[in-house]
Amino acid sequence: MLLSDLALARRLESAEGRACMQFGEARRKLFPEAGSCWMQCAGAHVVFDGIDSPVTQTFGLGIFEELTHAALDKIERFFFDRGAAADHEVSPLAGVAVLDLLCARGYRPIEISSVMYGRVEAVPPGEIKVRVIGPDEAELWAEISARGWTHGHPELMPFMQQFGALAAAKEGCSCFLAELDGQPGAAGALNIHDGVALFAGASTVPEMRRRGLQSALLQARMRYASEHGCDLAMMVAEAGGESQRNAERQGFRIAYTRVKWRLSK
């Protein structure tokens, strides 16, 4: 039985931190002028991927090692020297002392998310075709992903297209397309680290929604994770949002609710 405890939190946070560090590495290779970099401090992954990137933050703060003022000084300087705010997504299993330390330094909460988990199971293929993209399909995958994410916000299309291209180029990441009648309509990614399969980046183009593509995409990635030796599945979603409800329908459970804290320079 999988228990929602500190040991589980360490596996989940390590997998996400590793995936986001690899995302920064991909940007450094494709866009070296962006200055992407990362370090580890107090057991946490500390990633800079650009001032406005959602990847620019820490992962696992306070759950691997005791957090101190000296460690936070170092982490904050890492972000501030690059023009970014200091952001930390903190598991409640880090404890009250970590939250008290952040509050004492003037941090404020800016985001709440649900960290979800489940056992990896070898589910049989469905009727909807889902496949891992080929090396020449990164642009197509990025386009489908961006169209799904930017519905109603076309001004975000250039950013999401670049974001998708980076995900397709990232080490340790497999990108999937779901198709209906030969037409790609949904995109998703899967990151694998130390037996943890991190499900990420799933979106469906508006005209093909509510036709089962997301469920097929999730099941195909679950099958892929099983074939590659994973025992634990992970997903992060907006707390109480549609993605969380979809994941719960697929058997995911909430490990904990995580708060993102920010301190501006």
Side-chain angles (χ1 to χ4, degrees):
M1 182 178 181
L2 286 172
L3 299 177
S4 183
D5 57 12
L6 181 59
L8 177 67
R10 284 173 171 167
R11 287 192 70 189
L12 299 177
E13 295 292 323
S14 179
E16 188 178 18
R18 177 74 176 176
C20 290
M21 179 273 292
Q22 290 171 329
F23 190 93
E25 287 287 332
R27 188 183 296 277
R28 185 163 64 178
K29 291 178 182 178
L30 294 181
F31 307 101
E33 70 281 0
S36 295
C37 56
W38 70 282
M39 68 174 184
Q40 283 190 285
C41 182
H45 284 86
V46 186
V47 182
F48 175 78
D49 182 53
I51 294 175
D52 298 319
S53 172
V55 175
T56 295
Q57 61 175 74
T58 68
F59 301 88
L61 193 73
I63 67 168
F64 295 101
E65 296 179 16
E66 180 182 358
L67 184 63
T68 64
H69 280 288
L72 275 176
D73 285 341
K74 182 177 180 180
I75 293 169
E76 288 167 6
R77 183 51 49 202
F78 175 87
F79 288 123
F80 293 163
D81 284 350
R82 292 165 175 81
D87 287 356
H88 315 284
E89 283 205 87
V90 181
S91 165
L93 296 176
V96 173
V98 170
L99 303 182
D100 185 59
L101 186 57
L102 294 176
C103 289
R105 295 173 73 100
Y107 282 84
R108 61 184 181 87
I110 61 168
E111 188 178 300
I112 300 175
S113 59
S114 294
V115 178
M116 312 184 72
Y117 73 104
R119 285 201 178 276
V120 170
E121 299 178 350
V123 295
E127 295 182 0
I128 296 175
K129 181 180 179 181
V130 182
R131 59 184 178 83
V132 178
I133 66 169
D136 60 340
E137 295 181 299
E139 186 175 341
L140 171 63
W141 187 89
E143 178 72 18
I144 296 297
S145 179
R147 284 181 57 201
W149 282 110
T150 60
H151 178 58
H153 298 281
E155 71 279 4
L156 297 177
M157 178 63 81
F159 172 81
M160 289 306 303
Q161 285 177 321
Q162 186 182 89
F163 200 84
L166 288 165
K170 184 166 72 68
E171 181 183 352
C173 180
S174 298
C175 296
F176 295 73
L177 282 175
E179 300 175 340
L180 278 177
D181 300 323
Q183 182 68 30
L190 186 73
N191 301 274
I192 292 177
H193 173 66
D194 194 25
V196 179
L198 172 59
F199 292 66
S203 67
T204 305
V205 298
E207 66 271 21
M208 297 177 73
R209 291 177 181 171
R210 303 190 182 280
R211 298 176 67 180
L213 272 71
Q214 279 301 312
S215 293
L217 196 59
L218 189 147
Q219 291 167 3
R221 288 180 291 169
M222 187 70 77
R223 187 164 55 252
Y224 185 93
S226 176
E227 293 168 352
H228 287 76
C230 296
D231 67 300
L232 183 61
M234 174 188 181
M235 186 181 299
V236 181
E238 178 188 1
E242 183 63 27
S243 293
Q244 176 185 309
R245 292 192 289 273
N246 287 339
E248 289 182 287
R249 293 187 188 104
Q250 297 292 331
F252 280 77
R253 298 169 57 191
I254 298 174
Y256 45 84
T257 300
R258 196 169 61 182
V259 177
K260 181 182 284 191
W261 298 82
R262 169 171 292 176
L263 180 66
S264 300
K265 185 175 181 180

